[in-house]
């Protein structure tokens, strides 16, 4: 495992070769986002237990066994995931592991252990033997409703925004236009045909008892399916065009999702692909609209770990249903979008286990305040792959909170799937490798010099950016700006910016990381000052910080509990501005003394008139 992590390029190449060699089209888990908290009741409402998997199918002509058929769930209640995989057999278990892209867990045995733990964590996971895939059908209530205060805050917030950068048709936004991978947020509505979704949910012959299939148009014979209609993003009575408020909220969602994926080499965009511009193995279309009645009305649904897979377009789009999220509350929607996209890139749920290791809550709601009272919480944090609707801060996780049931390193897994973002701003990591801060103003005869960097990227907790500047004695002003909060309550930034000012030998002379999340600067530093007593070269260090500790207090009853978060996923973009005393200030040249203008000359007297001409001679 360590060797794989140390060589991400080799890992990616080996991963691609495994896919080609196996000649398999991966089928991944279908997932629905949780819509409401499960509360303190640790018992999950049981879904129907499918127990129709048949292992005795035999070819009548050759006598050779066929793969099993049917469906099976309830692994958590039965506690028999290990026995089931043994019955499935080594070859088919390895095929399922491969389809779920679990080989990066280490060797095959480690991957099978990971699969067993995944099955054991939920009654809602369904093994579909016909296509060798896992699905999950969450039994949470179908709607999460925003309070009147939240709804009012949305409109108050968007009414004070500057003109939206998004085009009037919902296109035009792109976070990293040159990135290899694309996450297309499709707000425009769509009619989906010819996908796996159409086969699973628009085939009325697949079941005679469920009403799930009645929501698709023109039910068709088995294996054909019919169309799935997703309406466009709509917050008013006009579904045919986007209002100013709708454009604002679409842009709010795009910015928040872009921040979640900012450390990685992926473009979060509202632009559709043009022709064959994108390969479907490296882009995800995420349809945002409607209520998903055709699939039972969840918050969202996605296949798992399809990126880089041949034929991935057959399993698109991933869906988020905003009418079940507020309705249409931007915070709820962006959390669902990043959550579902996380599944596509291979991430599992972050939940809570008991002392014996059994999952008691499939979706962790986070630290104090993550229970719907984030406005008054000192710290309110939740994992993106848990339930972060009510958390002030949401980040990727590696299960640092007490009793986490999933120790998967989200950041590592995402970087393995889609790569880290390239460094956009030159920077060093120590005072010995520090890069001079680009000058953006002042100098010359000015008393100060200003330097700044724009849209720099801190990719993970190990990233440290150090900049140098030469200053005269005096006051230095430092500001680190991050993505602003939405309505001052919900942070869209994943980066809690920490800044240190260091002296010429690296001694700290200034430290800035305001605690809390409700300040006007959100997770940025605001404008801070430090006094320099002597002139010389100084340094500014920028890194991501945590707030408190995820294990600082005893863990109360799930789903809420801990007092902070670490710097693990404190990553994203920042702008840095520093103003310092000008060490090379030049004195202005004195203006020359004005030369007095001479008084105007006196006029010469008028000449005397000429003598009269002599009289002519007589």
């Amino acid at each position: 495992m360590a060797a794989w992590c140390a060589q991400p390029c080799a890992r990616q190449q080996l991963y691609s070769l495994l896919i080609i060699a196996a000649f398999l089209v991966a089928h991944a888990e279908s997932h629905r986002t949780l819509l409401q908290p499960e509360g303190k009741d640790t018992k999950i409402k049981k879904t129907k237990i499918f127990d129709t998997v048949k292992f005795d199918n035999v070819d009548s002509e050759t006598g050779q066994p066929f793969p099993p058929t049917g469906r099976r769930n309830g692994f958590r209640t039965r506690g028999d995931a290990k026995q089931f995989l043994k019955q499935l057999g080594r070859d088919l278990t390895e095929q399922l592991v491969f389809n779920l892209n679990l080989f990066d867990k280490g060797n095959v045995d480690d991957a099978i252990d990971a699969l067993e733990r995944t099955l054991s964590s939920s009654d809602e996971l369904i093994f579909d033997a016909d296509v060798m895939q896992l699905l999950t059908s969450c039994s949470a209530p179908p709607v999460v409703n925003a309070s009147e205060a939240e709804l009012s805050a949305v409109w108050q917030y968007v009414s004070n925004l500057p003109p939206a950068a998004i085009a009037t048709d919902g296109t035009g936004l792109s976070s990293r236009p040159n990135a290899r991978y694309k996450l297309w947020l499709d707000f425009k509505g769509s009619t989906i045909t010819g996908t796996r979704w159409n086969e699973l949910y628009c085939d009325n012959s697949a079941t005679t008892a469920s009403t799930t299939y009645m929501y698709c148009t023109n039910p068709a014979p088995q294996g054909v399916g019919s169309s799935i209609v997703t309406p466009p993003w709509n917050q008013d009575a006009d579904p045919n065009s986007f209002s100013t408020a709708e454009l604002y909220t679409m842009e709010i969602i795009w910015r928040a999702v872009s921040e979640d994926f900012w450390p990685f080499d992926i473009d979060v965009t509202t632009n559709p692909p043009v022709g064959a511009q994108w390969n479907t193995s490296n882009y995800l279309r995420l349809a945002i609209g409607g209520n998903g009645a055709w699939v039972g009305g969840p918050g969202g649904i996605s296949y798992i770990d399809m990126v880089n897979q041949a034929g991935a377009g057959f399993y698109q789009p991933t869906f988020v249903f905003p009418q079940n999220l507020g309705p249409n509350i931007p915070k709820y929607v962006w959390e669902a979008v990043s959550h579902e996209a996380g599944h596509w890139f291979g991430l599992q749920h972050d939940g809570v286990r008991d002392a014996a290791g059994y999952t008691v809550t499939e979706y962790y709601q986070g630290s104090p305040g993550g229970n719907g009272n984030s406005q008054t919480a000192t710290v309110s944090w939740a994992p993106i792959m848990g339930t972060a609707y009510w958390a002030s801060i949401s980040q990727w996780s590696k299960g640092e909170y007490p009793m986490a049931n999933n120790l998967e390193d989200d950041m590592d897994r995402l970087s393995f799937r889609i790569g880290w973002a390239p460094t956009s701003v030159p920077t060093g990591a120590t005072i010995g490798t520090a890069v001079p801060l680009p000058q953006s103003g002042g100098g010359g005869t000015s008393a100060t010099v200003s330097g700044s960097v724009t849209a720099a990227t801190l990719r993970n907790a190990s990233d440290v950016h150090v900049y140098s500047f030469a200053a005269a004695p005096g006051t230095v002003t430092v500001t680190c700006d991050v993505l602003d909060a939405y309505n001052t309550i919900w942070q869209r930034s994943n980066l809690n910016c920490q800044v240190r000012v260091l002296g010429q030998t690296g001694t700290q002379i200034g430290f800035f990381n305001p605690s809390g999340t409700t300040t006007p600067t959100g997770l940025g530093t605001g404008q801070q000052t430090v006094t320099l007593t002597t002139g010389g070269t100084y340094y500014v260090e920028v890194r991501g910080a945590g707030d408190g500790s995820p294990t600082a207090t005893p863990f109360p009853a799930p789903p809420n509990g801990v007092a902070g978060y670490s710097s693990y996923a404190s990553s994203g973009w920042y702008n840095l501005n520093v103003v310092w005393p000008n060490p090379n200030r030049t004195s202005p040249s004195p203006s020359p003394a004005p030369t007095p203008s001479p008084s105007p000359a006196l006029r010469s007297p008028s000449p005397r008139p000429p003598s009269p001409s002599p009289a002519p001679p007589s």
Side-chain angles (χ1 to χ4, degrees):
M1 183 72 174
W4 284 52
C5 293
Q7 300 182 43
C9 292
R11 290 167 60 196
Q12 187 67 47
Q13 292 171 355
L14 178 57
Y15 175 72
S16 299
L17 289 173
L18 283 171
I19 295 173
I20 296 171
F23 293 104
L24 295 173
V25 175
H27 298 281
E29 176 186 335
S30 171
H31 159 75
R32 300 178 185 180
T33 300
L34 180 71
L35 296 174
Q36 282 189 342
E38 294 171 16
K40 296 182 178 181
D41 181 7
T42 60
K43 295 182 179 179
I44 298 178
K45 185 172 70 175
K46 294 181 181 179
T47 57
K48 178 182 177 181
I49 301 296
F50 295 100
D51 194 19
T52 59
V53 174
K54 297 180 180 180
F55 290 91
D56 55 357
N57 301 321
V58 176
D59 189 323
S60 60
E61 294 183 2
T62 66
Q64 296 297 313
F66 281 141
T69 60
R71 295 181 182 182
R72 170 69 140 73
N73 71 345
F75 295 100
R76 175 181 158 193
T77 295
R78 301 182 188 202
D80 64 350
K82 184 173 184 178
Q83 294 89 331
F84 181 81
L85 292 178
K86 184 176 181 180
Q87 185 180 16
L88 188 62
R90 179 77 178 196
D91 289 345
L92 290 178
T93 298
E94 288 187 12
Q95 181 182 339
L96 182 58
V97 162
F98 188 88
N99 287 353
L100 293 172
N101 289 328
L102 294 175
F103 278 115
D104 66 330
K105 298 292 185 182
N107 59 40
V108 176
D109 289 333
D110 291 338
I112 292 175
D113 288 343
L115 174 60
E116 180 188 331
R117 290 193 300 271
T118 299
L119 291 174
S120 299
S121 69
S122 175
D123 278 330
E124 300 172 343
L125 283 171
I126 302 171
F127 169 63
D128 190 338
D130 297 295
V131 289
M132 291 300 295
Q133 68 175 353
L134 290 179
L135 303 90
T136 182
S137 179
C138 296
S139 55
V143 175
V144 55
N145 293 315
S147 66
E148 288 297 326
E150 288 173 311
L151 291 170
S152 175
V154 169
W155 300 116
Q156 182 178 359
Y157 182 81
V158 299
S159 65
N160 294 322
L161 288 176
I166 193 171
T168 56
D169 65 350
T171 64
L173 300 178
S174 186
S175 61
R176 293 187 181 277
N178 297 322
R180 176 186 175 189
Y181 291 88
K182 303 287 183 178
L183 172 53
W184 171 25
L185 306 189
D186 182 4
F187 291 99
K188 300 181 67 175
S190 59
T191 298
I192 304 300
T193 59
T195 71
R196 182 64 176 160
W197 297 115
N198 301 94
E199 292 181 351
L200 290 177
Y201 292 99
C202 287
D203 181 356
N204 68 334
S205 66
T207 179
T208 57
S210 174
T211 59
T212 299
Y213 303 90
M214 66 180 289
Y215 298 105
C216 295
T217 61
N218 303 318
Q222 187 171 5
V224 178
S226 57
S227 59
I228 298 172
V229 178
T230 298
W233 172 257
N234 183 30
Q235 295 175 287
D236 55 27
D238 180 9
N240 299 314
S241 62
F242 295 128
S243 67
T244 299
E246 288 169 341
L247 292 171
Y248 282 146
T249 53
M250 290 155 63
E251 187 169 330
I252 288 167
I253 293 165
W254 167 79
R255 287 192 182 278
V257 176
S258 297
E259 173 72 359
D260 288 339
F261 288 96
W262 187 257
F264 308 104
D265 189 19
I266 186 168
D267 177 24
V268 180
T269 182
T270 60
N271 296 324
V274 178
Q277 178 184 11
W278 296 350
N279 184 321
T280 56
S281 68
N282 62 11
Y283 89 86
L284 168 61
R285 178 184 187 179
L286 204 150
I288 304 170
N291 62 8
W294 58 272
V295 73
I301 187 168
S302 177
Y303 282 88
I304 285 186
D305 214 342
M306 293 301 300
V307 66
N308 297 318
Q309 299 287 353
F314 184 58
Y315 302 92
Q316 295 192 37
T318 284
F319 295 92
V320 164
F321 306 112
Q323 290 181 22
N324 299 335
L325 300 169
N328 302 312
I329 294 294
K331 161 68 171 175
Y332 298 174
V333 176
W334 86 58
E335 295 294 356
V337 168
S338 291
H339 182 112
E340 298 303 332
H343 281 308
W344 181 266
F345 297 123
L347 304 184
Q348 302 285 350
H349 286 152
D350 291 324
V352 176
R353 60 176 175 83
D354 61 17
Y358 295 102
T359 296
V360 294
T361 302
E362 191 166 348
Y363 301 83
Y364 179 55
Q365 293 178 48
S367 55
N371 58 357
N373 191 29
S374 60
Q375 294 91 332
T376 59
T378 303
V379 173
S380 177
W381 175 94
I384 293 170
M385 299 309 296
T387 301
Y389 297 139
W390 303 280
S392 290
I393 302 167
S394 62
Q395 295 173 330
W396 305 112
S397 172
K398 62 176 181 178
E400 295 176 293
Y401 56 88
M403 311 304 284
N405 73 336
N406 179 11
L407 303 183
E408 175 181 74
D409 188 326
D410 290 350
M411 299 285 283
D412 179 72
R413 196 165 177 83
L414 287 169
S415 66
F416 175 43
R417 292 292 184 267
I418 56 180
W420 294 113
T423 301
S424 58
V425 176
T427 180
T430 66
I431 63 172
T433 59
V435 172
L437 196 62
Q439 184 172 326
S440 57
T445 61
S446 174
T448 61
V449 180
S450 60
S452 62
V453 292
T454 303
T457 303
L458 284 170
R459 296 178 292 191
N460 50 48
S462 64
D463 261 8
V464 181
H465 293 177
V466 182
Y467 306 94
S468 65
F469 63 95
T475 300
V476 174
T477 301
V478 180
T479 307
C480 178
D481 289 325
V482 297
L483 183 61
D484 62 315
Y486 166 60
N487 196 34
T488 72
I489 297 173
W490 293 308
Q491 302 301 321
R492 290 186 293 176
S493 174
N494 289 23
L495 173 62
N496 182 346
C497 190
Q498 172 187 298
V499 172
R500 294 198 305 155
V501 179
L502 308 176
Q504 300 177 54
T505 61
T507 303
Q508 177 178 297
I509 58 177
F511 177 88
F512 310 115
N513 180 229
S515 61
T517 62
T518 58
T519 62
T521 56
L523 297 179
T525 64
Q527 183 172 296
Q528 306 289 340
T529 59
V530 63
T531 300
L532 308 181
T533 57
T534 61
T537 299
Y538 292 86
Y539 305 91
V540 175
E541 176 196 270
V542 185
R543 67 170 70 205
D547 191 351
S549 168
T551 59
T553 60
F555 186 68
N560 303 311
V562 298
Y565 59 95
S566 77
S567 62
Y568 158 73
S570 186
S571 58
W573 74 265
Y574 69 89
N575 294 335
L576 177 68
N577 184 260
V578 183
V579 179
W580 62 89
N582 185 357
N584 301 312
R585 184 181 184 186
T586 56
S587 299
S589 301
S591 300
T595 302
S597 300
S599 299
L602 296 176
R603 291 184 178 181
S604 299
S606 300
R608 298 174 70 178
S611 299
S613 298
S618 33

